[in-house]
Amino acid sequence: MAEAAGSGGRFWKRHIVRQLQLRDRAQSGRFLDVVQAYTRLLEKSSLMVHFSEKLEAESFDRQAPRPGQDTCGSVPEPGPGSAEGLQTLKRKYQRQIAEVKDASGELAYRIIELSKLLKAKECELQEQKTRLGSLSGRLAELEAEQQQLAGRAGDLGCGNAARKAEYDALRERYRLQEAELRQAAERGEELLQSLVRKKKEAAEHQNEKNERVKQARLCRELKKATKRTVSIDVEADEGKPAEVNVPVSELAELEGCKKLWKRPFRSASATSVTLARCMGVFKGLLDFRLKRGNSIGSESEVHYRSLPICLVTCLPSRVSDVQEAHSSEVNAVKFGPSSGVLATGGADKLIRLWNVAGGRLKDMQTLEGANGTITSIEFDPSGHQILAASYNKAVHLWHIRDCKSKETLTGHADKVTAAKFRSTRHQAVTGSRDRTVKEWDLCKGACYRTINVFSYCNDVVCCDNVIMSGHHDKKIRFWDSRGARCTEVIPVEGQVTSLHISQDQMHLLSCSRDNTLKVIDLKMNNVRQVFQADGFKCGSDWTKAIFSPDKSYALVGSSNGSLYLWNMESGKLETVLSGEHRASVNAVAWCFSGQYVVSVDQGRKVVLWR
C-alpha cells in the first residue's frame, strides 16, 4: 500500500512538471517572433550605423586635398559632373537615412510594446511560479494526507475483513438458530395439536363417563322408584286416565336422592299404566339438575351465592371518583356480583381490581399473565374467578384470591373479542375475529364445540341453550348450542360492536357503528326500540352498551367523551353525562345494586359516577 502511494506521488509530480513544460513552450512561442524581429532590427540598425560612418568617411576623403596639391592656392572649381553626382548621392543617402529612421521608429515602438508585453508575461510567469510553489506545498501536504488516508484505508480494510468474517459467522449462526426455531415451532405446533387432541379425547371420554354415570344413576333411581309404593286415586269413571300425585316435599327428596318414597301401592294395574309417565317425571327432574361436563350428584359442584336484586336504579348525576387505571387505553370494565369489586382491562395487558366503597375506587390487586390487549372481562356467578379475552388469540381464567392464571384457553386463529360464562362457572363461550364461536369445558380446559359464524364476531351473550353473536357484517345471529345451528338472523344498519342481555333474559341490547342502540325482544326476535341522539357517535368497533340492572335504562359512551342514557319506558333520552372524559368512551358498567356507574375511555381514565 505504501509503495502504491509513493508511485502515485511520483506520477503526480511528473504530471505537474510536464504541464509546466508545456505551458513554458506555449508562452515562449508567443514571444519568438518578437525576439526574431528585434534581432533583425538590431542587425539593420548596426548595418545602418556602419554604412553612415562609411559614407561620412568617404565624404571627408573627397573634401580633403590630394597629396602634392598646393593648399595655399585657390580651390579649383569642381566640374559640373562631380557636383551633381554628390548631390544625387546625398539625397539618396538622406532618403535611405529617413527610411531607416522610420523603420527604426516603428521597430522601437514595437520594441516598447513587446517590452511591456514581456514584462506582463514576466509578472504572470512570476505569479505562476508563486502559484506553482504554493501548489507544490499543497501537493506535498496532500501526498502526506494521502499516505495517512492510505494507512487508515489499510487499517479499515483489515477491520472490514474481520467484521465480514464475524458477520458471516453470525449469519451462519442465525441461519442455524432460525432452522432450530422453525423446528421448535413445528414441534410446538405438533405438541399443541396433540394436547388439544388429547384434551378433546379426554373431554369426550369424560362426557361419555358422565353419561354412563347419569344413565346408571337414572336406572338405579327408576328401579328404586318402581319398588316404592305410590298413592293412586282411581276415579269411578274408567275412561279417565289415572294421575300421579307427587307432593313437593317428595320432589325435593327425589332431587337430593337421599330419601325414599313411603307411599303404599293401592293397585298393581295402575302401576303398569303410569310407569311411562313416572319415567318422564324422573328424567325431567334429573335433567333439571344436570350440568354439562359434571355428574348429576357431583359433590364438587359449588353452590353460587344469590345475586343482588336491584329494585330501583339510581340515575348517575355526578362524578364520584376519577382514576388513571392503566398505562394505555382501557377497553373493558365489569362489576363483580357483590357490586363491591370492579375489574378493568386495557391495552397494557393487565387486569386491575378495584374496591368500590364510599364513592371511591381503591386499588386492590393486579392480575398479570395475558400476552395481549384485554378486550373483554367477565366474572363468574360466584365472583371468585375472572374470564378475560385478549388479542393474543387466547382466553385467560384467573382465581381472584391467588392472582394466578388458572387456565389459558388456546385454539382461536385470530384476536379473541369476547368471553362469557355459561349458566355455571364450568362452561364458557368465546367469540373471535377468526369467524368462529367456541364453547369450552373449563374443568378440562378444552373446546368441545366450534361454530362457524360466517363473519368477524365482536361480542357474544348466552341465554339457556341459545348463543347470540354480533358481527362485523351488520347481523346478529342466534345459535342453538345443542345442535350448533343458526336459528335466527336479525340484520341491523351498522357493524355490531356489543351485545347485552337483560337479567330477565327477555330483551337484548345491541350497539352498532350506525350510531344507534337497538332493543330486541327475544320472544318475538324482532327490534322493539331504536335509540339515537344528536351528538352520540360510536367511537370504536368494541364500544359497549348496557342495560341498567332493573332494565329501566340503556347506557352507552360516545366518541366525544359523554355518556348517553335513554329511558326504556318512554324511549327518550333521559340525560347526558359529560365533562370528565377527554377521549372516546370504550365501555360502561352498572353495578348490580344500581348505585354506581363506571366508564372507561381511550385516555386511560376510569370514572365512577353516582
Side-chain angles (χ1 to χ4, degrees), residues 93 100 224 306 320 366 371 377 495 521 546 566 578 600:
Y93 285 140
V100 170
K224 290 180 181 179
S306 59
S320 180
T366 301
N371 295 323
I377 297 176
Q495 303 168 8
D521 190 339
I546 60 170
W566 283 272
S578 59
V600 296

Side-chain angles (χ1 to χ4, degrees), residues 21 29 39-40 44 135 152 220 223 248 272 324 351 355 369 409 467 494 502 523 529 532 540 548 583:
Q21 290 174 352
T39 303
R40 286 196 300 270
K44 289 181 180 181
L135 290 175
R152 290 180 59 187
R220 287 197 301 270
K223 288 180 181 179
V248 176
S272 62
E324 187 170 317
I351 294 178
N355 184 22
L409 309 178
I467 298 174
S502 60
K523 284 188 175 180
Q529 290 175 299
Q532 56 185 352
S540 64
S548 64

Side-chain angles (χ1 to χ4, degrees), residues 192-207 292-293 387 395 397 406-412 420 422 425-430 437-450:
L192 180 61
Q193 292 178 359
S194 176
L195 178 62
V196 171
R197 185 169 57 255
K198 289 182 179 179
K199 283 189 175 182
K200 185 177 180 180
E201 292 175 356
E204 292 176 354
H205 177 71
Q206 186 66 28
N207 290 336
R292 186 183 299 272
L387 190 68
V395 180
L397 181 65
K406 174 185 177 183
E407 193 74 46
T408 299
L409 309 178
T410 58
H412 282 290
K420 302 292 176 66
R422 293 293 297 272
R425 68 177 183 176
H426 302 294
Q427 290 178 293
V429 177
T430 60
V437 170
K438 292 182 181 290
E439 298 182 70
W440 302 84
D441 187 338
L442 298 181
C443 294
K444 303 172 181 62
C447 172
Y448 62 86
R449 182 179 290 113
T450 298

Side-chain angles (χ1 to χ4, degrees), residues 6-160:
S7 63
R10 289 194 296 274
F11 172 75
W12 284 105
K13 287 181 180 181
R14 288 197 300 270
H15 177 71
I16 292 174
V17 171
R18 191 180 302 113
Q19 292 294 327
L20 291 175
Q21 290 174 352
L22 292 175
R23 186 179 62 185
D24 189 26
R25 291 195 195 100
Q27 291 179 356
S28 299
R30 296 175 185 175
F31 299 103
L32 185 59
D33 296 339
V34 177
V35 172
Q36 291 177 356
Y38 181 69
T39 303
R40 286 196 300 270
L41 181 60
L42 290 178
E43 290 177 355
K44 289 181 180 181
S45 178
S46 299
L47 182 61
M48 291 300 295
V49 171
H50 177 69
F51 189 68
S52 297
E53 290 178 352
K54 184 177 180 181
L55 288 177
E56 289 178 359
E58 289 179 355
S59 177
F60 180 76
D61 290 342
R62 289 175 181 177
Q63 291 178 3
R66 293 180 181 178
Q69 190 177 15
D70 188 6
T71 56
C72 296
S74 59
V75 178
E77 292 180 4
S82 62
E84 290 177 0
L86 185 60
Q87 289 295 328
T88 302
L89 184 62
K90 183 178 181 181
R91 284 193 299 270
K92 180 180 177 181
Y93 285 140
Q94 287 177 353
R95 193 166 49 249
Q96 290 179 356
I97 290 172
E99 291 176 359
V100 170
K101 286 183 178 180
D102 292 338
S104 298
E106 292 177 0
L107 292 175
Y109 180 74
R110 289 187 63 185
I111 289 172
I112 292 172
E113 290 182 349
L114 292 174
S115 298
K116 291 180 179 180
L117 183 60
L118 181 61
K119 289 181 180 179
K121 294 297 181 181
E122 288 177 352
C123 292
E124 185 177 356
L125 181 61
Q126 187 65 31
E127 291 177 359
Q128 295 293 336
K129 289 181 178 179
T130 305
R131 185 180 176 188
L132 179 61
S134 61
L135 290 175
S136 299
R138 179 61 178 166
L139 179 61
E141 294 177 359
L142 291 175
E143 288 177 352
E145 186 176 356
Q146 181 189 9
Q147 292 178 358
Q148 294 179 0
L149 292 176
R152 290 180 59 187
D155 296 339
L156 291 175
C158 297
N160 289 337

Side-chain angles (χ1 to χ4, degrees), residues 193-351:
Q193 292 178 359
S194 176
L195 178 62
V196 171
R197 185 169 57 255
K198 289 182 179 179
K199 283 189 175 182
K200 185 177 180 180
E201 292 175 356
E204 292 176 354
H205 177 71
Q206 186 66 28
N207 290 336
E208 293 176 358
K209 182 179 178 181
N210 292 338
E211 189 66 23
R212 289 196 299 270
V213 172
K214 171 187 172 183
Q215 295 295 336
R217 189 178 297 276
L218 181 61
C219 292
R220 287 197 301 270
E221 294 298 330
L222 289 176
K223 288 180 181 179
K224 290 180 181 179
T226 55
K227 294 179 181 180
R228 304 296 180 267
T229 59
V230 180
S231 177
I232 301 176
D233 296 330
V234 181
E235 300 292 338
D237 190 359
E238 294 296 334
K240 186 176 180 180
E243 295 181 359
V244 180
N245 298 322
V246 183
V248 176
S249 60
E250 291 183 7
L251 289 176
E253 292 172 0
L254 180 60
E255 287 185 351
C257 300
K258 296 179 181 179
K259 294 184 179 180
L260 302 178
W261 290 10
K262 299 182 180 180
R263 297 289 182 93
F265 267 120
R266 290 190 178 182
S267 172
S269 61
T271 304
S272 62
V273 173
T274 60
L275 180 59
R277 296 188 61 191
C278 290
M279 291 177 66
V281 170
F282 294 141
K283 188 175 185 301
L285 291 174
L286 294 174
D287 285 343
F288 177 77
R289 288 179 49 82
L290 181 61
K291 305 297 181 183
R292 186 183 299 272
N294 298 280
S295 62
I296 297 172
S298 175
E299 296 296 333
S300 62
E301 180 72 27
V302 177
H303 299 283
Y304 296 134
R305 69 184 73 175
S306 59
L307 297 177
I309 299 176
C310 177
L311 299 178
V312 179
T313 298
C314 300
L315 283 179
S317 59
R318 61 184 179 86
V319 176
S320 180
D321 194 9
V322 179
Q323 295 287 339
E324 187 170 317
H326 295 264
S327 61
S328 186
E329 65 175 301
V330 190
N331 296 326
V333 61
K334 193 73 174 181
F335 272 102
S338 64
S339 299
V341 178
L342 178 73
T344 60
D348 57 358
K349 308 175 185 179
L350 299 177
I351 294 178

